[in-house]
Amino acid sequence: MTSQLWQTQRIVAPTCFVCPRPFVERIGRAANLPSKSTLLLLLLAILLVFAPRDVLAHPMGNFSVSHFAGLRIGSSAVELRYILDMAEIPTFQEMQAAGITAKPDDPEVLAYLSRKAEVLKNGLVLTLNGRPLTLEVVSQNVIFPPGAGNLPTMKVGVVYRVQLLDGTCPCTLEYRDGNLPERAGWKEVIATAEPGATLVMSTAASVSRSQELANYPTDLINSPPQDLSARLTFELAKGLAVASGEAN
């Protein structure tokens, strides 16, 4: 994955993104959390409330989980670059649930990352001409950029790929992200084509406005994109054919 994926830029928070009453309401809904975890969340929220306003808080808010999906059509494969950017609160919850610390090279974190790549894959649906495609994990990475009060945030990135085999074009590719759709955050899908492939139609943009969740545009923070799906039609260069490695 490119180094751009792991650029981290945080804007200065004009106000605190967490206040006591909404947090208490969220805790009330989190009835499945152990009491110890609930108490830790409460203490975390208090820390965020009283953190200095000039700290680098997550621009999408302390509860946000942002999504990026980059579809790249090649002459023989489709690649999906998938990123989740978790703010302070969901990072805390994820680390508590997985029993990990904010150390990217820790063996327990690496084991968690391998499991997480498979779990996230189960929430992604990719079809070609109506037939499901089976994604394979190519690589994964994780970093823990500091957030408000120097608390960690977490960014998970996975590259998936599926081979394209015998068949004919034009082809229709559909994508849907079913991971954590209820979480507030930036949700973006882009689609591009490599030499040998041409996008005929796409509901997705071709350029990421957030630089793959590395730099959120300040003018869109209050109304971020909410795209968790895309539909596109592509053709291959003359002489090339495609079908799919569909699920059995």
Side-chain angles (χ1 to χ4, degrees):
M1 306 180 76
T2 66
S3 59
Q4 179 185 2
L5 174 61
W6 304 121
Q7 292 175 1
T8 58
Q9 298 184 23
R10 294 286 187 253
I11 65 171
V12 174
T15 57
C16 182
F17 285 94
V18 181
C19 60
R21 183 175 178 182
F23 181 76
V24 171
E25 292 173 352
R26 289 175 184 270
I27 290 297
R29 291 195 297 268
N32 61 328
L33 289 176
S35 58
K36 183 178 179 180
S37 296
T38 300
L39 177 59
L40 289 173
L41 273 175
L42 180 58
L43 293 174
L44 176 61
I46 293 172
L47 175 61
L48 292 173
V49 167
F50 291 102
R53 291 189 176 187
D54 59 349
V55 298
L56 296 179
H58 196 290
M60 300 309 300
N62 302 127
F63 284 92
S64 64
V65 176
S66 296
H67 301 231
F68 170 81
L71 294 163
R72 185 165 62 183
I73 311 301
S75 60
S76 61
V78 174
E79 182 180 278
L80 169 61
R81 292 166 53 80
Y82 186 71
I83 305 171
L84 286 185
D85 184 9
M86 302 183 188
E88 293 88 350
I89 296 295
T91 293
F92 172 82
Q93 293 173 316
E94 189 78 3
M95 291 172 61
Q96 286 288 304
I100 59 174
T101 58
K103 298 177 181 179
D105 297 327
D106 188 294
E108 291 186 2
V109 173
L110 297 177
Y112 155 80
L113 185 58
S114 295
R115 296 192 303 270
K116 192 66 176 179
E118 293 295 330
V119 170
L120 294 174
K121 182 178 73 172
N122 292 336
L124 303 174
V125 177
L126 196 65
T127 64
L128 184 67
N129 296 333
R131 293 179 293 180
L133 300 179
T134 302
L135 294 168
E136 296 182 355
V137 177
V138 177
S139 62
Q140 61 266 325
N141 205 345
V142 64
I143 59 171
F144 298 91
N150 206 34
L151 295 168
T153 65
M154 181 164 63
K155 186 177 288 188
V156 174
V158 187
V159 175
Y160 299 102
R161 185 175 296 147
V162 60
Q163 295 296 318
L164 301 176
L165 310 169
D166 337 306
T168 57
C169 275
C171 294
T172 298
L173 189 76
E174 294 185 85
Y175 167 79
R176 186 172 72 256
D177 179 359
N179 292 313
L180 303 171
E182 74 287 351
R183 287 281 196 172
W186 186 283
K187 300 168 185 177
E188 184 178 30
V189 182
I190 69 166
T192 59
E194 295 180 343
T198 302
L199 283 178
V200 178
M201 182 281 297
S202 175
T203 62
S206 59
V207 177
S208 171
R209 288 180 288 177
S210 68
Q211 297 178 28
E212 301 185 7
L213 308 185
N215 186 15
Y216 297 94
T218 56
D219 60 332
L220 294 176
I221 284 178
N222 292 325
S223 56
Q226 297 294 292
D227 300 325
L228 290 174
S229 62
R231 178 185 176 90
L232 53 97
T233 302
F234 67 92
E235 292 182 338
L236 300 181
K238 187 175 181 180
L240 296 177
V242 68
S244 67
E246 69 262 21
N248 294 325

